[in-house]
Amino acid sequence: MVREDNMLLTIVVTVLDEKETIIEAIRQVEALDLEKEIIVVDNFSTDGTRELLKSYGSDAIKIVFQDRNYGYGQSIITGCDMAKGKYLYVHMSDLEYDPIYAHQMIEIAEEEGSDAVFGSRLANNTQGFFATVRKRPYFLASIISTRMINFFYKKNFTDIIGSKFYRVSSLRSLCPFDDVSLTFDFELVSKLCKRGYRVDEIPITYNPRSSREGKKIKYYHSFPALVALLKVWLLDKGKKA
């Protein structure tokens, strides 16, 4: 039985139109040998995903059906508002990230007092900037924004837009956010760094799907992301809670 008054981890599974992968994504996190709760937030899927979730037989999983598409960031906020865990791990339902790294993220957070731990897809990348972007154009936003964060805040990250793990109290203290859709992650990491929260990074494996398979991140998403970074750097006056 999970001790809801002292739970270790909340896993938030975010989903939008992923009927081919959502059940496997849930099974992946169910299999983790961790004290946990699982919250699935469906951001108004219209491809049959909601029907699959409604028929999924597990009383241990909380499923939230948003009444419209509020954006990916709102799914995280919704899960965070409901979370009973000390930490929150975000699991994407597209199967690109292996949730097994949640174990390591918890260990680091407990030992180092981390407010966030990022799973980097590029920590072990040996290719240069142009070769990486040529092969995977959707990495452009991540590479440029990571370099900007490193420059603004004197950090040494390799990938600020990989898998995500947060201390729940720290994530709650960063609300509200200006944008809960495309630039949410960029605004969030910027606030963490500018306000002096501790952020650690670990290398992870990454299994990207192709644009033909439904890749949702495009190279042109780089531009609003960079605006979000600059906005926080120049205008954010918040302080660490």
Side-chain angles (χ1 to χ4, degrees):
M1 168 123 10
V2 173
R3 295 166 294 140
E4 292 194 352
D5 60 331
N6 190 29
M7 188 175 295
L8 181 63
L9 181 66
T10 294
I11 298 174
V12 176
V13 181
T14 63
V15 57
L16 172 64
D17 294 337
E18 298 287 2
K19 68 177 181 179
E20 302 299 329
T21 57
I22 182 56
I23 300 304
E24 177 59 25
I26 294 173
R27 288 172 177 162
Q28 284 183 345
V29 292
E30 283 184 307
L32 290 178
D33 185 19
L34 286 167
E35 178 192 6
K36 62 185 181 293
E37 67 170 346
I38 300 171
I39 302 172
V40 179
V41 184
D42 179 86
N43 196 28
F44 203 66
S45 295
T46 58
D47 70 335
T49 297
R50 293 167 80 90
E51 289 69 28
L52 282 175
L53 289 172
K54 288 175 181 177
S55 64
Y56 189 74
S58 176
D59 294 334
I61 297 175
K62 300 172 186 174
I63 301 178
V64 179
F65 295 103
Q66 306 272 45
D67 58 7
R68 64 183 177 87
N69 185 340
Y70 290 98
Y72 157 79
Q74 184 58 51
S75 296
I76 306 303
I77 295 168
T78 297
C80 186
D81 287 342
M82 298 173 60
K84 294 184 174 69
K86 180 179 180 181
Y87 301 110
L88 185 150
Y89 177 79
V90 180
H91 186 49
M92 309 293 191
S93 55
D94 56 13
L95 307 182
E96 291 189 332
Y97 298 101
D98 189 339
I100 195 67
Y101 291 100
H103 288 274
Q104 186 178 352
M105 290 171 165
I106 288 173
E107 290 178 5
I108 291 174
E110 291 282 88
E111 292 173 3
E112 304 296 337
S114 312
D115 296 292
V117 182
F118 297 159
S120 171
R121 304 161 295 177
L122 295 168
N124 297 320
N125 182 43
T126 57
Q127 297 180 319
F129 172 84
F130 292 106
T132 300
V133 173
R134 188 181 306 115
K135 183 177 180 181
R136 295 174 180 168
Y138 51 86
F139 270 165
L140 182 63
S142 182
I143 294 173
I144 295 177
S145 61
T146 298
R147 292 184 178 186
M148 289 180 68
I149 286 289
N150 289 342
F151 175 75
F152 290 159
Y153 306 112
K154 296 181 172 58
K155 303 294 184 180
N156 194 33
F157 299 128
T158 60
D159 180 15
I160 63 168
I161 306 297
S163 64
K164 295 294 195 305
F165 174 95
Y166 304 104
R167 186 179 296 271
V168 168
S169 59
S170 301
L171 180 54
R172 287 173 176 167
S173 72
L174 297 173
C175 294
F177 291 89
D178 289 342
D179 183 0
V180 292
S181 55
L182 284 177
T183 65
F184 172 80
D185 273 338
F186 301 94
E187 181 180 351
L188 197 163
V189 67
S190 301
K191 285 184 173 181
L192 284 167
C193 292
K194 186 165 186 181
R195 299 183 187 184
Y197 289 83
R198 180 176 179 119
V199 182
D200 291 293
E201 182 185 79
I202 63 169
I204 62 167
T205 55
Y206 178 55
N207 182 35
R209 61 181 178 182
S210 67
S211 56
R212 183 177 300 175
E213 295 172 309
K215 188 71 180 175
K216 295 174 182 176
I217 301 299
K218 311 297 182 184
Y219 72 91
Y220 50 78
H221 292 154
S222 305
F223 304 109
L226 302 184
V227 171
L229 292 182
L230 285 168
K231 186 175 180 179
V232 172
W233 183 52
L234 294 171
L235 302 176
D236 183 68
K237 303 298 182 183
K239 296 181 180 180
K240 184 175 180 180

